[in-house]
Amino acid sequence: MRREEVEQLQAEAAEFLSKVDIGISEQEQKSIEVADFGLNDIRNVGLEIVLYENNDRYCAKELILFPRQMCPQHRHPRVNENNPGKQETFRCRWGEVYLYIEGVATPNPKAVVPDKYRKHLSVWREIVMRPGDQYTIKPDTLHWFQAGDRGAIVSEFSSTSIDELDVFSDPNIKRVPELE
Amino acid sequence: MRREEVEQLQAEAAEFLSKVDIGISEQEQKSIEVADFGLNDIRNVGLEIVLYENNDRYCAKELILFPRQMCPQHRHPRVNENNPGKQETFRCRWGEVYLYIEGVATPNPKAVVPDKYRKHLSVWREIVMRPGDQYTIKPDTLHWFQAGDRGAIVSEFSSTSIDELDVFSDPNIKRVPELE
């Protein structure tokens, strides 16, 4: 193909893509995971998760964050010789999300965190993510994130998820608590 | 949390999600892969691909198919002892796509394929995919697919992509041809 033809097709493809919604079925809605990490304060600390696929090789999810909702600080530890821990790629689809990772602390970060949760946060290198932005988190490194004032949607592509193994910095957290 | 509270949050999350578009940046548009498989007949045989991430553990893409555009029959062979071949999960986001896999042939399949390509197709078990439908292709198994009359958008979540290793049934195909 000629370069101009490729460019024309790329423009058509992008136009196509812009028409697409991320919709889910009624049945999938009923299986959205509402994770409050056992803190019973879902509007401040929590995640809503649509799990598309999780097998022994890869995983894909949508993360829905309500306004200023926060996913608390954690890491995905090494599992064994063949698995150095979960690696994950976040792609912001809507809204704004503030991601914090290990490294030099960002002055005046955008996250707004109540003191009782703030004391368990130790990494403050800020990555501001807007629609189309992507970031990959290395295995076994600390991270946490909070949505901006309008909330956020984030696609997560990763290696296998094994939530029970996640290590949270706040000792009050249970990743998989029971329903009341 | 109480069950009713969880259901309320699920409904809010689904409402949130329905507002989201799959948008890409101008820079990403320029890097859309337009794959014609060396056949120089892109409107009939080809794929437009947005590659989000491809690392040594997982891969994520959007596949854009123009009306009746077809991805020709191929398989992802075993790579080595630790890699039985690429495994991939398709999730239809828009339009309709007809996926063909190994198994009992479907009578009156929906695909419409010119004879010169049809002769290289041997698997005819049909999976009709509409928005929200998902299907996972086992490693090293033959498959091909065609979009319906309006085209289709398909999210692909998978293990690592190594396109050069793909084995196509049509000997005229080159997965990664040069531009003219």
Side-chain angles (χ1 to χ4, degrees), chain A residues 98-101 104-111 124-128:
Chain A
Y98 314 123
L99 171 65
Y100 298 88
I101 58 172
V104 176
T106 300
N108 309 311
K110 290 177 189 289
W124 286 94
R125 183 183 154 204
E126 182 178 76
I127 314 280
V128 176

Side-chain angles (χ1 to χ4, degrees), chain A residues 10 32 57-58 85 89 91, chain B residues 10 28 32 57-58 85 89:
Chain A
Q10 287 174 328
I32 291 177
R57 304 179 73 184
Y58 55 87
T89 300
R91 183 176 174 93
Chain B
Q10 288 174 329
E28 286 175 318
I32 290 177
R57 304 180 72 184
Y58 56 87
T89 299

Side-chain angles (χ1 to χ4, degrees), chain B:
Chain B
M1 274 184 292
R2 285 172 301 111
R3 169 58 55 194
E4 309 88 86
E5 194 185 353
V6 169
E7 283 171 7
Q8 168 59 26
L9 288 159
Q10 288 174 329
E12 276 185 55
E15 169 62 28
F16 232 75
L17 204 54
S18 72
K19 295 187 295 190
V20 177
D21 303 321
I22 296 182
I24 56 170
S25 66
E26 266 185 58
Q27 199 188 328
E28 286 175 318
Q29 177 178 321
K30 287 181 189 142
S31 66
I32 290 177
E33 183 189 0
V34 179
D36 79 349
F37 303 98
L39 296 179
N40 210 16
D41 186 15
I42 187 77
R43 297 283 171 181
N44 281 310
V45 184
L47 277 182
E48 292 66 44
I49 303 167
V50 178
L51 179 65
Y52 292 133
E53 176 70 15
N54 188 23
N55 59 46
D56 62 355
R57 304 180 72 184
Y58 56 87
C59 178
K61 305 173 178 178
E62 304 294 348
L63 308 179
I64 298 138
L65 289 105
F66 295 133
R68 289 289 171 185
Q69 205 178 28
M70 175 178 120
C71 175
Q73 184 172 301
H74 65 287
R75 61 187 171 86
H76 308 289
R78 172 176 288 274
V79 178
N80 57 42
E81 277 199 7
N82 298 315
N83 187 338
K86 184 188 178 205
Q87 177 170 314
E88 55 196 18
T89 299
F90 294 139
R91 183 176 174 92
C92 182
R93 299 290 193 174
W94 187 88
E96 207 168 76
V97 68
Y98 314 123
L99 171 65
Y100 298 88
I101 58 172
E102 297 178 7
V104 177
T106 300
N108 308 312
K110 291 177 188 291
V112 179
V113 183
D115 283 345
K116 63 179 168 177
Y117 303 126
R118 192 181 182 91
K119 65 184 177 193
H120 299 295
L121 304 176
S122 62
V123 301
W124 286 95
R125 182 182 156 207
E126 181 179 76
I127 313 279
V128 176
M129 301 185 74
R130 301 192 175 93
D133 291 342
Q134 253 184 235
Y135 194 85
T136 296
I137 310 273
K138 291 198 173 63
D140 204 11
T141 62
L142 289 168
H143 57 285
W144 62 278
F145 48 96
Q146 185 182 52
D149 289 334
R150 295 194 309 153
I153 311 280
V154 176
S155 294
E156 182 189 297
F157 315 122
S158 73
S159 57
T160 307
S161 276
I162 315 172
D163 294 339
E164 314 83 81
L165 299 184
D166 294 350
V167 178
F168 284 85
S169 303
D170 180 343
N172 301 311
I173 285 177
K174 289 185 214 159
R175 174 63 184 86
V176 191
E178 289 92 46
L179 279 184
E180 278 168 28

